[in-house]
Amino acid sequence: PTQSTWGGRAETVSMSSMSSQNGGVVLNAFMESRFGACAPEPNQQVVTIVAAEIRSIPQQTVELPTTRWNGNMYFLFVYKGRCLISLGPHWPLACCFWMSVFVLGIAFICLVISGKSVAVQVAAIAILTLGMLALSSTMLVDPGVIPKGSQLFQTLPTEHSTSHTWCEKCHIFRPSKCVHCPECDCCIERYDHHCPWMGKCIGKRNISFFYATIILIVVNAILAAVLFIV
């Protein structure tokens, strides 16, 4: 055993302590994320070094205020510790895209369906309204940002040890399919892609709105083409 100090408290680091169920999980996951397939055998010297590195990771509890920056994401509205509305780094482009779709929709209503039957007008306006709501939700709903240094992700779950990886920038254990986006500078749960037209990433909480937006825009475009031809 060797002596190490963490936070002013001396304690013993040994193979037996790091070979326990939780300790072994943390050790294996940390070594895999740090060294990859070239991870060395966990002898006493490696255990001591890895334990020191784990203890050097800042341990902090993030209390989310009403508004705050998290990387390049701005938490616009937080309710009971969970971000509900956020703005991404490309919000000016997203606003321009929203205005373009809105203007095209108004032009479609005024020029194409103005002389059609009431049923066609109601259907077209309903589809356009739903499309704008889905587009707005995609741009505003939090995509699944994990706050930097979140206390909830400081401990590696034993049952998911092989799927979690350590993020050096956010200081958290990332769950499966969670990716650190360089544009947003934060980890996104169930990351799909970063969409500058939506102003942010598409992830766990806004991907359904994103698909709904695409479907409704396509349906509206087909309807406009059919009515224009007829």
Side-chain angles (χ1 to χ4, degrees):
T2 58
Q3 295 288 330
S4 63
T5 304
W6 181 32
R9 176 170 56 89
E11 60 184 10
T12 301
V13 180
S14 64
M15 284 291 291
S16 59
S17 63
M18 293 299 290
S19 297
S20 62
Q21 185 178 14
N22 293 333
V25 167
V26 174
L27 174 63
N28 294 333
F30 191 88
M31 290 179 63
E32 182 179 352
S33 62
R34 177 59 59 88
F35 301 105
C38 302
E41 291 295 328
N43 54 42
Q44 180 60 59
Q45 183 179 4
V46 172
V47 168
T48 304
I49 295 174
V50 172
E53 288 198 48
I54 293 177
R55 294 187 176 94
S56 67
I57 298 170
Q59 302 292 315
Q60 57 180 343
T61 302
V62 176
E63 297 294 337
L64 297 179
T66 305
T67 58
R68 64 163 293 151
W69 285 96
N70 188 79
N72 295 329
M73 295 285 292
Y74 186 72
F75 288 178
L76 192 63
F77 180 69
V78 178
Y79 179 71
K80 292 184 178 181
R82 174 181 173 181
C83 176
L84 299 180
I85 300 177
S86 63
L87 296 177
H90 297 114
W91 65 267
L93 182 59
C95 291
C96 293
F97 181 70
W98 191 95
M99 287 300 300
S100 300
V101 175
F102 180 75
V103 171
L104 289 174
I106 297 298
F108 165 68
I109 293 175
C110 296
L111 300 177
V112 179
I113 69 171
S114 58
K116 304 298 179 181
S117 64
V118 176
V120 173
Q121 293 181 13
V122 171
I125 294 175
I127 294 175
L128 179 61
T129 303
L130 291 175
M132 294 305 300
L133 289 175
L135 179 61
S136 302
S137 300
T138 306
M139 294 178 175
L140 294 176
V141 171
D142 175 58
V145 175
I146 300 179
K148 291 178 179 288
S150 174
Q151 188 67 24
L152 297 176
F153 294 88
Q154 291 290 317
T155 304
L156 183 65
T158 304
E159 63 274 13
H160 301 295
S161 60
T162 58
S163 60
H164 282 58
T165 56
W166 179 255
C167 179
E168 293 285 351
K169 295 183 179 180
C170 295
H171 293 164
I172 59 169
F173 282 106
R174 291 178 299 201
S176 176
K177 299 181 181 180
C178 179
V179 176
H180 184 92
C181 174
E183 298 288 342
C184 296
D185 190 28
C186 54
C187 289
I188 309 294
E189 289 188 273
R190 298 182 189 173
Y191 176 87
D192 188 79
H193 69 284
H194 182 87
C195 182
W197 301 106
M198 301 298 165
K200 60 172 66 171
C201 288
I202 305 300
K204 175 182 178 180
R205 299 194 183 109
N206 67 345
I207 192 169
S208 57
F209 296 113
F210 177 77
Y211 287 144
T213 301
I214 300 298
I215 293 173
L216 289 171
I217 289 179
V218 171
V219 170
N220 201 41
I222 295 174
L223 179 63
V226 171
L227 293 177
F228 183 78
I229 295 173
V230 174

